[in-house]
Amino acid sequence: MLAVTLPKPASLEAPAETTVLPVSERSFSDERAVGVAVEYGPARALTSGRTGIVTASTCEKGAALTSGSAPFSVDGSPVIALATSVPLWRDLAIGAKGSDVVALRTELARLGAGVEPGDTVNRATLLAFRQLVVNAGGTAAGVESISLGAVTWLPAPSIIATECPVAVGSQVGQGSALAGLPSLVLGARVSPLPDDLAEGQRLVRIDDQEFAVDAEGAFAPVDLDRLAATPAYAAARQVSDAEKIKASLLLTEPVQVYPVPPRAIIEAGGSFCVIDGGSPTKVDVLASQLGQSFVRPTGEGAALSEIALDPPSKTTCG
């Protein structure tokens, strides 16, 4: 009889305990999925400047209403939508002056109607308006002034109709709503703002748009119209005014960090450090996600290469 002891298969050997971990630098933007809460003003509407019967309408819920077009006709005459900075409030004949005239001529110039900005209604202003009427299927005959009943005010050059309550054949009065418009956006902010963010200026990404936000996550007023033009904003509005916009919050300028296991970090005397190459190296802990901590050496030009996973409990950070 011969007894032979076979070696233990490698797959059954106890794994060697790892005491150090090679680390490498990576870019870190601290991106978080967040919601954006919007503060809305009162509802708005496209209104009729005169009483009559609606004889034509191109209004469609969810479609854009644009300045220079005629989304409605009343009593057979086109109603021209104009995005003037000041709503027109009176009939404007040749020779009229005022802030409303300045707003009208500025918008006609923007539309490429061959009018220079100015403060007086001249013949060129009237001819430009007549051409808008003709382009909309109306006739120039009888257009001797820019009648208040022939225009309707848009708060922006292009804006989405939220509803179209008036059908062709309906009777409308002066001031009647022809189309619903989105409520004015008064403000927007990240809500809630995560409380464990890495320090640094941040931006919010919504669809393909990026918006700077302050330390409290608030949007700048100049960006609110651009926010209201995103598909994500429209999707949230279709649910309710309380629905938050889905977005990402991230650092404006990504930073270089080292991902390390939390157990490798020593906290002593209000400082943090890791054992790198056998010596303590002070680090800033920027954030923690998914079981990893993201650290950055504090010294000028400092780097990490191989850190101890279980540093001695009495180690100090120096």
Side-chain angles (χ1 to χ4, degrees):
M1 298 290 292
L2 179 64
V4 178
T5 301
L6 298 176
K8 185 183 291 186
S11 60
L12 299 180
E13 290 284 352
E17 185 177 356
T18 302
T19 59
V20 295
L21 177 71
V23 293
S24 57
E25 201 174 35
R26 56 170 272 193
S27 180
F28 176 66
S29 61
D30 196 21
E31 184 168 353
R32 311 291 185 93
V34 294
V36 173
V38 178
E39 179 186 358
Y40 298 103
R44 298 179 291 178
L46 196 75
T47 59
S48 174
R50 66 172 183 260
T51 297
I53 301 295
V54 176
T55 52
S57 170
T58 60
C59 182
E60 293 183 18
K61 182 178 179 179
L65 300 166
T66 58
S67 184
S69 69
F72 297 92
S73 289
V74 176
D75 290 346
S77 297
V79 178
I80 307 299
L82 289 174
T84 51
S85 59
V86 175
L88 303 186
W89 50 272
R90 56 176 174 157
D91 294 344
L92 297 174
I94 290 178
K97 294 187 176 185
S99 59
D100 50 351
V101 176
V102 173
L104 171 65
R105 289 187 54 163
T106 299
E107 179 60 8
L108 290 174
R110 189 194 69 83
L111 292 171
V115 176
E116 296 295 327
D119 64 355
T120 305
V121 175
N122 56 16
R123 184 161 183 79
T125 309
L126 183 59
L127 290 175
F129 183 74
R130 283 178 178 172
Q131 189 59 53
L132 291 179
V133 173
V134 171
N135 292 346
T139 60
V143 182
E144 299 300 329
S145 68
I146 295 135
S147 167
L148 186 61
V151 298
T152 186
W153 184 66
L154 277 180
S158 179
I159 194 166
I160 300 298
T162 58
E163 59 178 340
C164 300
V166 178
V168 172
S170 299
Q171 174 83 31
V172 294
Q174 188 173 15
S176 296
L178 298 173
L181 303 178
S183 300
L184 183 67
V185 177
L186 302 179
R189 68 174 57 248
V190 176
S191 177
L193 190 67
D195 57 8
D196 58 346
L197 297 172
E199 291 185 6
Q201 181 64 44
R202 292 188 169 264
L203 61 83
V204 169
R205 182 177 293 139
I206 299 175
D207 297 325
D208 60 349
Q209 298 289 312
E210 292 183 345
F211 305 87
V213 293
D214 64 18
E216 282 69 49
F219 286 61
V222 296
D223 285 334
L224 296 178
D225 286 341
R226 187 159 60 91
L227 169 65
T230 61
Y233 171 91
R237 284 305 309 273
Q238 287 183 350
V239 178
S240 74
D241 284 357
E243 183 73 8
K244 294 178 182 178
I245 302 169
K246 293 180 173 59
S248 295
L249 178 69
L250 59 156
L251 290 168
T252 302
E253 296 291 340
V255 295
Q256 296 302 114
V257 300
Y258 292 87
V260 302
R263 65 177 176 153
I265 301 173
I266 304 162
E267 182 179 3
S271 298
F272 296 94
C273 61
V274 295
I275 303 300
D276 181 53
S279 301
T281 300
K282 285 188 176 181
V283 295
D284 290 326
V285 181
L286 302 184
S288 295
Q289 294 177 16
L290 303 176
Q292 285 187 319
S293 294
F294 299 98
V295 303
R296 181 171 55 186
T298 59
E300 183 72 25
L304 301 177
S305 59
E306 194 173 69
I307 64 170
L309 286 178
D310 294 295
S313 59
K314 294 184 179 181
T315 304
T316 64
C317 292

